[in-house]
Amino acid sequence: MIKIRLARLGAKKKPIYRVVVADSRNARNNGRPVATLGMYDPAKDVADRLTVNTEAAVAWLGKGAQPTDTIRSIFKKAGIMAQFEASKK
């Protein structure tokens, strides 16, 4: 199953995450992701935390990629899930 999830980067106690499309059978940071959609930095201001290619994210959701619970929450706040629902209609 293909999932949209976070891959951890950054120093100890200062994480930065990549938003990636990866096979769920692989470990979080092992192997090459299918695609990289953007970055998520929880230390930044709320408006600057997420930088993601919205068109690519909606396209992967349309292809059947399942977002993890965390990514679903982040995408809802950014309005990407609403765009995906609108594109289905």
Side-chain angles (χ1 to χ4, degrees):
M1 175 186 290
I2 299 293
K3 288 202 173 246
I4 302 175
R5 62 185 183 186
L6 297 174
R8 190 183 193 282
L9 303 170
K12 183 165 70 170
K13 303 214 182 212
K14 295 182 183 179
I16 298 172
Y17 299 96
R18 263 193 202 131
V19 180
V20 298
V21 178
D23 191 345
S24 64
R25 294 174 291 188
N26 293 339
R28 180 187 69 195
N29 289 336
N30 289 351
R32 181 172 287 178
V34 177
T36 301
L37 302 178
M39 300 289 288
Y40 176 72
D41 188 355
K44 289 188 177 180
D45 293 333
V46 175
D48 298 329
R49 284 184 181 174
L50 182 68
T51 55
V52 69
N53 184 347
T54 307
E55 294 84 22
V58 171
W60 276 106
L61 289 168
K63 292 176 187 175
Q66 297 295 314
T68 60
D69 294 338
T70 304
I71 287 292
R72 186 180 309 273
S73 172
I74 292 169
F75 279 7
K76 277 184 184 177
K77 291 176 186 173
I80 296 172
M81 293 305 286
Q83 288 182 2
F84 172 61
E85 293 297 326
S87 71
K88 288 194 326 187
K89 294 180 182 179

